[in-house]
Amino acid sequence: MPTQVTSAFRRFGDTLRAFTIAQRTVAIIGLAVLALGIAALAMWAAKPSYSPLFTGLSATDASTIVEQLRADGVAYELTNGGGTILVPEANVYQERLTAAAAGLPSSSTGGYSLLDKMGVTSSEFQQSVTYKRALEGELAATIQAMKGVKAASVRLAIPEDTVFVSEKNDPTASVFVETANGVTLTNDQVQAIVHLTSASIDGMAATDVAVIDSKGEVLSAVGVGATGSASSQVTEYETRVKSSVQAMLDKVVGVGNATVVVAADMSTESANRVAETFTSPEGAPVLNEATKTEDYTGTGGTAAGVLGPDNIAVPGDADGNGTFTSEDTTRNNAVNKITETRTIPAGSLNRQTISVAVDRDAADNVRVADISALVSTAAGIDPARGDEVTVQLVSFSTAGATAAAEALAEAEAQAAASRMTELIKIGIVVLGILGALVAGVILYARRSRRQTREAIELGEFMESRTAIEDATMPIGIEPMPAPLPVLSAEAADSDRQRAEIDAMAGRDPQQTAEFLRSLMDDRQNA
């Protein structure tokens, strides 16, 4: 090995041995952190990129596919509650083909692919049921593709065709939707599901679709539509009116100086209404007219009389002469006919009441009549329907506001104290690190000075030893070779000089001791 490399390793070892325990601890920790960082970086760089193999899997299919991946020795990751399986991009297509060959995922709804498995011997009932299952599968797959929908199931109730048209029932559908964690379907999404389902089935109206989520909440009821149940409609209406009125009052009397409560009475019944109206237009022409006239004059026949007292016939004119005239007219005039068919859904407003309380201190220059008029106009109050508006000036309680202010101030004080504690901790850590660095620098500087001083002393000692040996060397004996030049900054030279001093002490201990004693005396006198 070259001398330069050996010297470099020797200096490095001497430097490590010169470290204190604290310096060695810091160096070891630094090396460990560096090694962990390098290992983590290498693992991250070597980790393959994962892509979804299947999503929205049931627990049974996920377990079967995981067993297949383990058998094939393919790495995988489970996400989305176990419903999504991720594999390296290089294995995605191969594993999908393998799963498809094994019939996975087996819980697939099938869709129109069910019709491909029907044989020529299938009965009419089997064909009807299979076709309905195919429709349900296609609708479920389409609804499941919507954002936020984890799983969907559709059930159709399609009545059989009959010759009695008047007894035909409308088809209905029920949709079960399971959303992802933390996702709630909006009203627009529910309406999209309802209209998608109703438009896919012949003769189905939007009000014939029921949508239920995994929490058991009815998002759309049959006969009501996608607006939800009657209770949700009432809540939505009250919230909307309250928000409008509250926003207006906040501008008039200030924020927090008025409170609004809305109570709405809505109908929960739905009905169909058919009305026919007839009107006679002026100058309407006659559609058709028929007149029938009969005249009779002559003699003969049985004489007839009239009833007299006690129902006894009184003979009339005995000669039998008489005259008969009859006229019958039928006329059909043109008239206007209006036939109106209306479907009245549940949720029509029967009556509403609004109560407004205004802080007396904030409404000095505002009249109650003006506030009542504004609220009536903003909420669409109809007195004929029985709507009422009540506005009262009251003194608001400030206990809640005071408690809230105190709680807010306490929270801010705790946050400030927490921030100060964190700053103190950070300051202590920084000061500790700086102190350790300063102590290390001071120790290193002292050791460097000590090594320099020792090197100088060793140099002086070697020079003195050379002079002594030259003076005491017998004639005819070769003197010892001169020592190498002293390099005060190198620990390797110091070790060599120490070795030479040890050798000299071994040859003449008494002379070495006297020299060291004299050298120490000279240092003290200096």
Side-chain angles (χ1 to χ4, degrees), residues 148-153 175-185 211-219:
V149 178
K150 182 179 180 181
S153 176
V175 181
F176 174 81
V177 178
E178 181 182 0
T179 58
N181 294 332
V183 177
T184 302
L185 294 180
V211 181
I212 300 94
D213 64 1
S214 57
K215 299 178 182 178
E217 297 181 0
V218 179
L219 306 179

Side-chain angles (χ1 to χ4, degrees), residues 309-390:
D310 300 329
N311 292 331
I312 299 175
V314 179
D317 193 0
D319 55 7
N321 295 328
T323 302
F324 174 78
T325 302
S326 175
E327 182 177 355
D328 185 8
T329 303
T330 301
R331 178 181 300 166
N332 293 326
N333 295 325
V335 295
N336 293 333
K337 178 182 178 181
I338 300 175
T339 303
E340 181 182 6
T341 303
R342 297 177 57 192
T343 299
I344 304 175
S348 59
L349 185 61
N350 296 331
R351 182 174 178 268
Q352 66 173 339
T353 58
I354 300 178
S355 300
V356 179
V358 182
D359 189 4
R360 191 186 305 275
D361 298 334
D364 295 336
N365 299 325
V366 180
R367 297 188 305 171
V368 175
D370 295 338
I371 297 178
S372 179
L374 291 173
V375 173
S376 299
T377 304
I381 297 298
D382 186 5
R385 192 172 52 194
D387 298 348
E388 294 182 2
V389 175
T390 303

Side-chain angles (χ1 to χ4, degrees), residues 19 53 121 184 249 254 291 353 387 414 466 523:
F19 280 0
L53 180 64
T121 59
T184 302
L249 292 177
T291 302
T353 58
D387 298 348
Q414 292 179 355
T466 302
R523 290 290 182 183

Side-chain angles (χ1 to χ4, degrees), residues 140 143-144 146 148-156 172-180 183-186 189-194 197 206-229:
I143 294 173
Q144 189 172 342
M146 296 180 62
V149 178
K150 182 179 180 181
S153 176
V154 180
R155 294 293 179 266
L156 300 177
T172 58
S174 59
V175 181
F176 174 81
V177 178
E178 181 182 0
T179 58
V183 177
T184 302
L185 294 180
T186 62
Q189 289 178 310
V190 176
Q191 288 183 359
I193 294 174
V194 168
T197 306
T207 55
D208 295 331
V209 181
V211 181
I212 300 94
D213 64 1
S214 57
K215 299 178 182 178
E217 297 181 0
V218 179
L219 306 179
S220 176
V222 174
V224 178
T227 55
S229 60

Side-chain angles (χ1 to χ4, degrees), residues 240-251:
R240 185 173 67 253
V241 174
K242 178 181 177 181
S243 300
S244 301
V245 176
Q246 187 69 58
M248 180 192 64
L249 292 177
D250 290 342
K251 297 291 184 180

Side-chain angles (χ1 to χ4, degrees), residues 82-324:
T84 301
I85 300 179
L86 304 177
V87 297
E89 290 184 354
N91 304 105
V92 171
Y93 300 107
Q94 180 63 35
E95 292 303 321
R96 283 181 182 175
L97 293 176
T98 305
L104 298 173
S106 60
S107 60
S108 175
T109 54
Y112 287 123
S113 60
L114 296 175
L115 302 177
D116 300 334
K117 303 177 183 179
M118 295 182 61
V120 294
T121 59
S122 300
S123 63
E124 183 179 355
F125 174 76
Q126 290 177 335
Q127 294 176 1
S128 176
V129 172
T130 305
Y131 177 70
K132 188 177 71 171
R133 288 179 57 197
L135 289 177
E136 293 173 349
E138 291 294 332
L139 288 173
T142 305
I143 294 173
Q144 189 172 342
M146 296 180 62
K147 184 179 181 180
V149 178
K150 182 179 180 181
S153 176
V154 180
R155 294 293 179 266
L156 300 177
I158 302 177
E160 297 181 359
D161 293 335
T162 176
V163 296
F164 302 100
V165 180
S166 60
E167 298 179 359
K168 184 177 181 180
N169 297 324
D170 295 331
T172 58
S174 59
V175 181
F176 174 81
V177 178
E178 181 182 0
T179 58
N181 294 332
V183 177
T184 302
L185 294 180
T186 62
N187 191 33
D188 293 338
Q189 289 178 310
V190 176
Q191 288 183 359
I193 294 174
V194 168
H195 290 290
L196 174 66
T197 306
S198 62
S200 301
I201 307 301
D202 185 20
M204 181 180 293
T207 55
D208 295 331
V209 181
V211 181
I212 300 94
D213 64 1
S214 57
K215 299 178 182 178
E217 297 181 0
V218 179
L219 306 179
S220 176
V222 174
V224 178
T227 55
S229 60
S231 59
S232 63
Q233 292 184 37
V234 172
T235 303
E236 183 180 355
Y237 177 81
E238 291 176 349
T239 303
R240 185 173 67 253
V241 174
K242 178 181 177 181
S243 300
S244 301
V245 176
Q246 187 69 58
M248 180 192 64
L249 292 177
D250 290 342
K251 297 291 184 180
V252 176
V253 297
V255 178
N257 295 323
T259 180
V260 181
V261 177
V262 180
D265 179 17
M266 287 188 172
S267 174
T268 58
E269 299 178 353
S270 59
N272 293 327
R273 177 182 178 184
V274 179
E276 291 185 353
T277 304
F278 298 90
T279 59
S280 178
E282 296 181 0
V286 178
L287 297 179
N288 54 64
E289 182 176 359
T291 302
K292 181 180 180 182
T293 303
E294 296 181 357
D295 293 328
Y296 177 77
T297 302
T299 60
T302 303
V306 295
L307 293 177
D310 300 329
N311 292 331
I312 299 175
V314 179
D317 193 0
D319 55 7
N321 295 328
T323 302
F324 174 78

